Amino acid sequence: MQWKECFDLQPPRYRRDGAGSFGVQSPELVFAALGLKTGNCFLDAGCGPGEYALLAAAWVGASGRVIGLDHDARMIEQLRQASQAADCPNIASLIADLGAPLPLAASSIDAVLISGVLHMPGLDEHWGVLFPELYRALRPNGRLGIIESPKPAATPDLPLHLRLTPTTIAAEIKPYGFQQVGLTKLSSRELVLFTKG
């Protein structure tokens, strides 16, 4: 199945480029920025119901692998059901907390996406665990993409004080070995792109 067909199978509330913590933001731009290719292993960290995971499964093809990871068992169950309905056997669904050691092998992931998650209250207290874990799991030259709302964006779903600027994100995760290599404007969000240094 092609990734656009997977996109069309998703519930309408996920098929958008507008505001909202859930909702796919320009998947072609996101996957291209991440350098995602057929045969890659993609991690959707804090995947929620797995919108990006489902699209990435078709993008990386049958020879690739997608891991959807979330702490909420209900979200993981939604992803499991959706991946079965979309006949995407290359998706693994894992219940795990982003603030704890991750159940991922070292140097096993080509690209990681964290979309609309990093601003969650209290998660910043665990960045000292999260980013070293992602660094460990990424292959050499692996990519990390973080989608967040910029400070001036007029998105009604996220209070201004919770928004993270690309500069803030880059400064906070640089000590863990990540180097910022790009910034892509999406409709109401920004994708900050890093590589494993």
Side-chain angles (χ1 to χ4, degrees), residues 6 8 10 35 81 107 120 178 187:
C6 282
D8 291 338
Q10 293 188 44
Q81 290 176 10
S107 300
M120 297 293 188
F178 291 100
S187 58

Side-chain angles (χ1 to χ4, degrees), residues 71-147:
H71 73 280
D72 189 331
R74 295 169 301 163
M75 295 290 106
I76 291 300
E77 183 56 30
Q78 285 184 38
L79 174 56
R80 283 187 184 129
Q81 290 176 10
S83 63
Q84 288 174 351
D87 193 26
C88 294
N90 59 341
I91 297 178
S93 307
L94 301 175
I95 299 171
D97 190 334
L98 292 178
L102 300 175
L104 302 168
S107 300
S108 61
I109 308 291
D110 294 292
V112 176
L113 180 65
I114 304 175
S115 178
V117 173
L118 213 54
H119 65 268
M120 297 293 188
L123 185 56
D124 59 335
E125 297 170 12
H126 302 284
W127 287 7
V129 174
L130 172 61
F131 291 111
E133 280 293 288
L134 293 178
Y135 191 90
R136 178 188 63 77
L138 276 168
R139 291 187 172 122
N141 301 313
R143 292 191 172 220
L144 166 65
I146 298 173
I147 297 176

Side-chain angles (χ1 to χ4, degrees), residues 2-12 15 55:
Q2 298 297 314
W3 78 271
K4 287 186 179 184
E5 292 170 344
C6 282
F7 189 65
D8 291 338
L9 287 173
Q10 293 188 44
R15 295 194 316 254
L55 296 173

